[in-house]
Amino acid sequence: MVSITGSNDKSAATERISWLERLNSNRNLLGFLFMLPAALVLLVFLAYPLGLGVWLGFTDVKVGRPGHFIGFDNYEWLFQDDIFWLSVFNTFLYTSVASVIKFAIGLWLALLLNRNLPFKSFLRAIVLLPFIVPTVLSALAFWWIYDSQDSVISWTLIEMGLLDQPIDFLGNPNNARASVIAANIWRGIPFVAITLLAGLQTISPSLYEAATIDGANEWQRFRRITLPLLTPIIAVVMTFSVLFTFTDFQLIWVMTRGGPINATHLMATLSYQRAIIGGALGEGAAIAVAMIPFLLAAVLFSYFGLQRQKWQQGGRDD
Amino acid sequence: MSSVEIRDVRKTFGTTEVLHGIDVMVPDGSFTVLVGPSGCGKSTLLRLIAGLEKITSGEILIDGRVVNDSPPKQRDIAMVFQNYALYPHMKVFDNMAFSLRLAKLDRKEIEEKVRQAAEILDLGDYLERYPRQLSGGQRQRVAMGRAIVRDPQVFLFDEPLSNLDAKLRVQMRTEIRELHQRLNSTSIYVTHDQIEAMTMADHIVVMCDGGIEQIGAPLELYDKPDNMFVASFIGSPAMNLIEGTIEVVDGHAAVAVDNDIRLPLPPNLGAQHGTRVYYGVRPEHLSLTNGTAGVPLDVSVVEPTGADTLIVCKLKGKDVLASFKERHDLRPGQSIRLEPDTALVHLFDANDGKRL
């Protein structure tokens, strides 16, 4: 009897060990287990809200009232909504103008910072400043700079005798558009500049020396060496920059709340206004979902554009 | 093709002077090697010749023309870099054609020149590849191809072989040498490897600490080093340098290392009794003797390489190297006697290291 119990215990122990051992040696299962926590986080905090948003877009849920599935009604309604189309136009204008200028100034700054300047690290730190300040704070600062009465820009220009009266930065639709774009550019440049600077630093100085000896002038070195070697990084940086700009909310909301007469409403701010302020959760969600195709297009563009260039494939550099 | 003349060239970075007045004459069509330990200023000198750095004072002449203020592209030089510096985003063909395109040559001419260079360097099959798809030796060849398509007056090489493995280095050494014989163009070659310098050069410029130690043909430097630095730098394994005092007894001069050790000197040496000297003898100029001749030593390490055998001995705690073509059955701990070939002994002043 005793002996039987003993052997039973023993076999149970062996079984446990072998189960653990099997787990240990099964790389697929082990890999799956290690992946699980991350997958869970992604599911709960990314996939679920996204799914919920898409679902809300097909309902007429209002704040405090459960809604019903209404199919594409929200989208049909938006399709005929001039303000929605205005916000789409604004978003495109905002994204394209801001991105192009951010790229141009960012690249220029990166090229400057890549030289052997005195106080190099100090200058680099300064360039990063707009990025460090919380967006809401910088938006408030710009709001003040753009004040219709006490704007420091208007004051300076008037003092210099170039203007008679203060500029109405945020009161006039086109001025307001230009003003928020300027604020976004100010805020977005550091990201572009510092990332491109990092890219520039991966280019071996001896390539420039070789090109110099080959007879290339400064412009030819930029055009034939810097630009092609920087292209993969430019593609990544600009994709992110476009995504951030397209979905911008904070700057606009603090400075103009989409006004005047919806001239600065972006899709994100309109969505928030309709959903949270106006209570029409379904409609707001539909506006947000309408951004997805555009964002997806940007991501796909970068995915195909970013695929390792042929010259990057195979082997090492040295 | 043309000569390169360097006259009293100095270079300072900030407050540090890295080149202290260099004078070198590189004759037309010669293969001149600048050799020295790292940090001696040899690469800086090459970069000054290339025009990648501005000289602080002095003059550099290429083909009799002062080029101090000319940008690199007007100096008509080509340079091969240590890391090859191939443009990674261009195919081999485009890498080689780059300078020709910048010079606005017409397409047919470019094609012809590149094909020609590729043929010389055996790169014909790789013209459509990217640098990443090539091996180290092939990249090295592309770098040289990029230089030769331009048919420059002067070739500059900045340690071009140091990124290659030992076997390939020996092979490329020969290739570069053959290329030079074929093109017969003035070449200046920087290396820290004295074997590379010895095997490749017509002229060697030995540099140390921003100055020139000696200029001469390889065997000249080997046979008659001007000072202890050159003596210890040129030749492998390095020359033994043993400190001692000259003793002249009955007209016979010798170097006394210790009370009981006398190193023999040739008879006709006008050495002063009592001078502190370094006694220099190359490992290959020591031979094994029997009986009472020579200097007694204890073997500490035996290193056979096949072709010859290197033995490390101890003399008063200092290492003395000897190299034999013959095979001797020696073991660590064994006592032997070595005799230097007095005709091939070098004496250096212990104070300034100069040859006596």
Side-chain angles (χ1 to χ4, degrees):
Chain A
M1 189 72 181
V2 173
S3 72
I4 291 170
T5 324
S7 83
N8 259 351
D9 275 358
K10 210 169 160 190
S11 75
T14 337
E15 210 168 80
R16 222 176 307 135
I17 287 167
S18 70
W19 181 81
L20 267 173
E21 260 173 9
R22 231 181 311 142
L23 177 70
N24 232 337
S25 59
N26 188 336
R27 296 176 62 91
N28 287 338
L29 191 63
L30 214 57
F32 179 76
L33 282 176
F34 282 135
M35 198 193 65
L36 219 50
L40 216 63
V41 169
L42 286 177
L43 270 174
V44 173
F45 295 106
L46 280 174
Y48 171 70
L50 183 68
L52 187 65
V54 174
W55 165 248
L56 281 175
F58 290 118
T59 66
D60 58 357
V61 173
K62 293 223 171 7
V63 171
R65 196 200 74 181
H68 308 285
F69 179 78
I70 53 166
F72 283 94
D73 279 7
N74 281 329
Y75 296 96
E76 277 170 34
W77 166 252
L78 284 176
F79 198 77
Q80 291 153 12
D81 181 358
D82 289 341
I83 296 175
F84 170 73
W85 285 114
L86 182 63
S87 80
V88 172
F89 167 77
N90 289 337
T91 309
F92 270 86
L93 182 78
Y94 186 74
T95 307
S96 50
V97 174
S99 296
V100 168
I101 298 179
K102 272 190 275 195
F103 171 65
I105 302 181
L107 182 59
W108 178 67
L109 268 179
L111 289 169
L112 280 184
L113 289 175
N114 197 33
R115 296 182 177 205
N116 259 330
L117 297 168
F119 312 112
K120 194 150 89 178
S121 35
F122 179 68
L123 285 174
R124 283 181 190 172
I126 287 189
V127 169
L128 264 180
L129 271 182
F131 201 51
I132 297 164
V133 181
T135 315
V136 176
L137 268 188
S138 43
L140 281 173
F142 268 102
W143 187 44
W144 194 35
I145 290 171
Y146 291 149
D147 191 278
S148 58
Q149 296 302 317
D150 302 322
S151 161
V152 62
I153 300 172
S154 302
W155 181 83
T156 314
L157 292 174
I158 291 170
E159 286 293 307
M160 286 166 74
L162 296 171
L163 273 185
D164 303 329
Q165 53 182 35
I167 306 169
D168 189 8
F169 284 105
L170 300 177
N172 166 307
N174 282 335
N175 282 357
R177 281 181 182 138
S179 302
V180 292
I181 287 174
N184 178 277
I185 291 170
W186 179 83
R187 173 146 183 86
I189 281 174
F191 171 71
V192 178
I194 294 295
T195 320
L196 290 184
L197 176 62
L200 283 176
Q201 286 175 341
T202 64
I203 302 176
S204 161
S206 60
L207 290 182
Y208 293 113
E209 291 178 347
T212 308
I213 288 179
D214 274 345
N217 58 32
E218 197 156 343
W219 165 249
Q220 286 165 327
R221 288 200 293 273
F222 174 75
R223 174 73 191 76
R224 307 264 167 221
I225 310 289
T226 312
L227 217 50
L229 290 179
L230 206 57
T231 307
I233 289 154
I234 291 175
V236 180
V237 174
M238 290 322 292
T239 304
F240 276 95
S241 178
V242 164
L243 290 184
F244 293 151
T245 317
F246 199 91
T247 56
D248 198 8
F249 171 80
Q250 293 183 69
L251 272 178
I252 303 287
W253 196 252
V254 173
M255 284 165 61
T256 63
R257 310 228 156 191
I261 11 172
N262 304 317
T264 59
H265 245 318
L266 303 184
M267 292 168 84
T269 53
L270 187 69
S271 161
Y272 179 81
Q273 194 190 45
R274 296 263 166 102
I276 310 296
I277 313 279
L281 284 177
E283 197 188 323
I287 297 173
V289 169
M291 292 165 78
I292 294 177
F294 300 119
L295 295 174
L296 215 57
V299 171
L300 283 180
F301 172 79
S302 78
Y303 178 77
F304 287 109
L306 290 188
Q307 274 183 337
R308 281 159 69 86
Q309 313 251 352
K310 217 172 162 204
W311 55 265
Q312 291 176 296
Q313 287 165 357
R316 295 166 303 125
D317 264 332
D318 43 30
Chain B
M1 264 180 294
S2 59
S3 63
V4 175
E5 211 179 330
I6 294 155
R7 291 183 189 157
D8 194 27
V9 162
R10 288 167 193 277
K11 174 68 185 172
T12 48
F13 288 112
T15 53
T16 328
E17 189 173 81
V18 294
L19 290 177
H20 322 294
I22 302 282
D23 287 286
V24 181
M25 173 71 203
V26 179
D28 190 358
S30 81
F31 197 103
T32 298
V33 172
L34 307 179
V35 67
S38 50
C40 71
K42 55 193 191 298
S43 284
T44 307
L45 183 58
L46 195 76
R47 293 167 61 82
L48 291 176
I49 299 170
L52 293 171
E53 308 269 359
K54 274 196 87 66
I55 68 175
T56 309
S57 74
E59 274 182 340
I60 293 179
L61 291 87
I62 297 177
D63 200 16
R65 189 170 59 94
V66 178
V67 294
N68 285 13
D69 298 316
S70 313
K73 75 175 195 181
Q74 284 171 18
R75 298 190 181 198
D76 201 6
I77 41 136
M79 187 157 167
V80 178
F81 291 83
Q82 179 174 2
N83 62 358
Y84 322 131
L86 299 180
Y87 311 122
H89 55 297
M90 296 183 198
K91 291 178 177 167
V92 169
F93 182 93
D94 302 307
N95 259 286
M96 287 163 70
F98 188 64
S99 63
L100 304 177
R101 286 191 179 133
L102 291 176
K104 302 224 157 50
L105 263 64
D106 70 70
R107 261 177 71 175
K108 255 180 97 181
E109 206 175 341
I110 292 175
E111 181 115 345
E112 199 184 299
K113 286 193 170 208
V114 172
R115 300 267 167 217
Q116 226 168 25
E119 201 179 306
I120 293 174
L121 293 163
D122 207 11
L123 282 169
D125 296 340
Y126 306 106
L127 288 176
E128 292 306 308
R129 297 223 189 150
Y130 286 99
R132 277 202 178 214
Q133 300 163 320
L134 301 178
S135 69
Q138 289 164 344
R139 288 180 204 183
Q140 179 58 59
R141 276 206 282 272
V142 176
M144 291 200 293
R146 202 168 58 177
I148 65 175
V149 287
R150 296 177 46 203
D151 195 15
Q153 290 193 351
V154 182
F155 281 102
L156 305 176
F157 296 90
D158 187 7
E159 308 217 17
L161 304 184
S162 54
N163 280 9
L164 299 177
D165 64 58
K167 198 176 164 197
L168 204 52
R169 206 177 304 159
V170 175
Q171 188 190 328
M172 291 304 292
R173 217 152 74 188
T174 319
E175 274 188 39
I176 293 180
R177 204 49 209 156
E178 275 171 0
L179 192 68
H180 175 254
Q181 276 155 14
R182 180 168 181 166
L183 303 173
N184 211 13
S185 47
T186 313
S187 304
I188 303 177
Y189 186 104
V190 162
T191 179
H192 61 264
D193 181 351
Q194 59 89 21
I195 295 186
E196 244 171 60
M198 292 293 282
T199 51
M200 298 174 81
D202 299 327
H203 297 274
I204 297 181
V205 179
V206 183
M207 294 181 68
C208 181
D209 286 336
I212 291 178
E213 297 289 332
Q214 190 173 358
I215 302 178
L219 292 180
E220 233 173 276
L221 301 185
Y222 179 84
D223 291 337
K224 284 195 128 187
D226 273 355
N227 51 48
M228 273 169 59
F229 176 79
V230 177
S232 59
F233 194 78
I234 298 290
S236 171
M239 184 189 285
N240 297 301
L241 290 163
I242 305 155
E243 199 176 359
T245 313
I246 293 187
E247 252 183 25
V248 187
V249 181
D250 302 338
H252 289 286
V255 171
V257 180
D258 208 348
N259 289 333
D260 51 341
I261 296 173
R262 300 280 178 279
L263 302 169
L265 285 172
N268 52 353
L269 205 80
Q272 286 279 323
H273 182 87
T275 318
R276 296 290 297 166
V277 293
Y278 276 93
Y279 185 92
V281 60
R282 297 198 180 274
E284 52 271 35
H285 300 149
L286 288 169
S287 53
L288 214 51
T289 59
N290 296 315
T292 55
V295 183
L297 297 145
D298 292 329
V299 176
S300 66
V301 179
V302 180
E303 296 174 355
T305 63
D308 40 28
T309 307
L310 187 70
I311 62 165
V312 184
C313 308
K314 292 283 180 199
L315 177 73
K316 295 287 159 200
K318 295 253 171 68
D319 281 350
V320 171
L321 273 70
S323 156
F324 304 123
K325 285 272 166 247
E326 324 80 57
R327 297 192 179 173
H328 297 292
D329 188 24
L330 296 172
R331 297 185 192 292
Q334 196 175 338
S335 290
I336 53 166
R337 297 188 82 88
L338 290 176
E339 188 175 31
D341 183 344
T342 49
L344 299 171
V345 159
H346 312 264
L347 273 189
F348 301 99
D349 191 315
N351 295 319
D352 59 7
K354 292 244 161 61
R355 181 183 188 84
L356 285 173

